Amino acid sequence: VSNAGVGMAGPLECQSLAAMQSLMDTNFFGLVRLVKEVLPDMKRRRGGHIVVISSIMGLQGIVFNDIYAASKFAVEGFCESLVVQALRFNVAISLVEPGPVTTEFEVKLYEEAERADYSRTDPETADIFTNLYLRNSKDIFASLGQSPEDIAEHTLRVIEAARPPFRHQTNAAYTPMAALKHADPSGALMTDAFYKLVFKYDAVLRLSLR
């Protein structure tokens, strides 16, 4: 089970390349290093199961989560490319894709975001992040966030499945969000829906969450 991960949220201009590279080293290359260690023996035994804790953000990018989403997209692409070869050796690969999970991980991430310096971006972007994104994120976590125990139960079901699924989303509320991309290959439907949700109907979003 690969579960190591770090988060990053905020305007792109305010994040250093060193911090981005460190995040990718943990979230993506950490997984790659683990798989390189365990896969050869699994192939020799012709049996095994690699379970990767991914994220709904591996399927759908979210505003102000550019680098974190990129790391999870990388995880998804890596596993999607590997799964067919692995099946040849009777090795299963499963991606567990949670939405928001209420842990100290998120608490620390948002505390750091509230204290961060946003002087390297323009005032409008800083205002959107601090007064719109952070506020809505707290409501989303309060309303839709799952507990770590719930994610553990989902992961256990994936591990114990007779035919382990390649992808398993833990929060049904996020299924329509991921489906938007497949409904319109041009990306226009998804982009328009998210733009309106963030910038036109945010008050409706907060009201519905409460």
Side-chain angles (χ1 to χ4, degrees):
V1 178
S2 174
N3 186 43
V6 292
M8 179 181 287
L12 184 66
E13 308 94 308
C14 301
Q15 297 162 348
S16 71
L17 282 174
M20 297 177 194
Q21 289 167 338
S22 177
L23 180 145
M24 291 297 294
D25 188 55
T26 298
N27 292 10
F28 175 62
F29 287 107
L31 167 64
V32 172
R33 287 191 291 269
L34 176 67
V35 172
K36 282 193 69 176
E37 289 294 324
V38 301
L39 186 60
D41 189 55
M42 288 182 174
K43 289 165 77 173
R44 280 192 293 272
R45 289 187 282 113
R46 291 193 172 264
H49 189 187
I50 298 169
V51 180
V52 180
I53 307 301
S54 181
S55 169
I56 195 68
M57 278 194 259
L59 301 175
Q60 172 63 60
I62 302 294
V63 62
F64 291 119
N65 283 269
D66 325 83
I67 307 305
Y68 179 78
S71 73
K72 293 300 184 178
F73 266 69
V75 163
E76 295 269 337
F78 173 72
C79 292
E80 193 170 278
S81 299
L82 195 60
V83 65
V84 174
Q85 178 205 146
L87 285 173
R88 177 69 178 177
F89 294 89
N90 195 39
V91 176
I93 296 176
S94 296
L95 289 157
V96 177
E97 300 162 334
V101 184
T102 306
T103 66
E104 288 298 314
F105 177 96
E106 297 296 338
V107 172
K108 181 181 177 184
L109 182 65
Y110 289 116
E111 285 178 350
E112 290 175 352
E114 288 174 347
R115 295 193 304 265
D117 176 16
Y118 299 112
S119 61
R120 284 174 289 176
T121 190
D122 60 275
E124 184 177 1
T125 300
D127 181 67
I128 292 168
F129 177 67
T130 56
N131 294 319
L132 198 65
Y133 171 82
L134 288 179
R135 180 177 58 181
N136 286 345
S137 291
K138 289 177 180 177
D139 287 345
I140 287 170
F141 270 85
S143 177
L144 301 177
Q146 293 176 276
S147 70
E149 291 78 13
D150 193 14
I151 304 303
E153 289 293 335
H154 277 273
T155 304
L156 182 61
R157 288 202 291 274
V158 168
I159 291 170
E160 292 181 335
R163 296 185 64 183
F166 176 55
R167 284 192 169 96
H168 176 80
Q169 294 174 26
T170 69
N171 193 326
Y174 283 80
T175 302
M177 182 179 81
L180 284 175
K181 293 179 73 170
H182 300 287
D184 176 16
S186 77
L189 179 62
M190 178 273 296
T191 303
D192 184 61
F194 274 84
Y195 181 88
K196 288 176 178 175
L197 191 65
V198 172
F199 293 113
K200 296 185 71 174
Y201 305 129
D202 64 293
V204 176
L205 171 65
R206 289 199 306 276
L207 185 63
S208 67
L209 289 170
R210 289 168 185 166

